[in-house]
Amino acid sequence: MLCELKNTPRVVGVKQLRKALAEGRVTKVFLAEDADPALTESIAQQCAQSGVALETVPTMAELGAACSIAVGAAAAGLLRE
């Protein structure tokens, strides 16, 4: 559910998400289906390796809006509290 992104500590963007995943701070990842696969495939692989839940969102614009930012987002993640 995208509403989770509004009420939970989060990280937005591919670079920040990769770092947070490597540090084990992410509980769930959201990837935009229309984002460049060159950016999102490695994140999906990281999720599979570390057992982090992965959910896809139809568009970058929709994911950006769910994160309360004015631009699209290719990736976002919920952080451990």
Side-chain angles (χ1 to χ4, degrees):
M1 303 274 312
L2 288 177
C3 60
E4 294 173 280
L5 286 166
K6 292 192 184 291
N7 305 319
T8 308
R10 66 186 178 271
V11 61
V12 181
V14 173
K15 245 188 207 179
Q16 294 85 351
L17 182 56
R18 279 191 191 132
K19 182 178 176 183
L21 276 167
E23 294 170 352
R25 298 185 299 131
V26 180
T27 60
K28 187 174 187 179
V29 168
F30 297 85
L31 294 178
E33 292 174 1
D34 65 344
D36 184 353
L39 296 174
T40 58
E41 283 180 11
S42 64
I43 292 175
Q45 290 173 356
Q46 262 186 294
C47 289
Q49 290 171 352
S50 57
V52 174
L54 176 65
E55 188 172 316
T56 58
V57 178
T59 67
M60 290 175 59
E62 189 176 341
L63 184 54
C67 294
S68 302
I69 61 173
V71 295
L78 301 179
L79 296 175
R80 297 187 193 286
E81 294 189 47

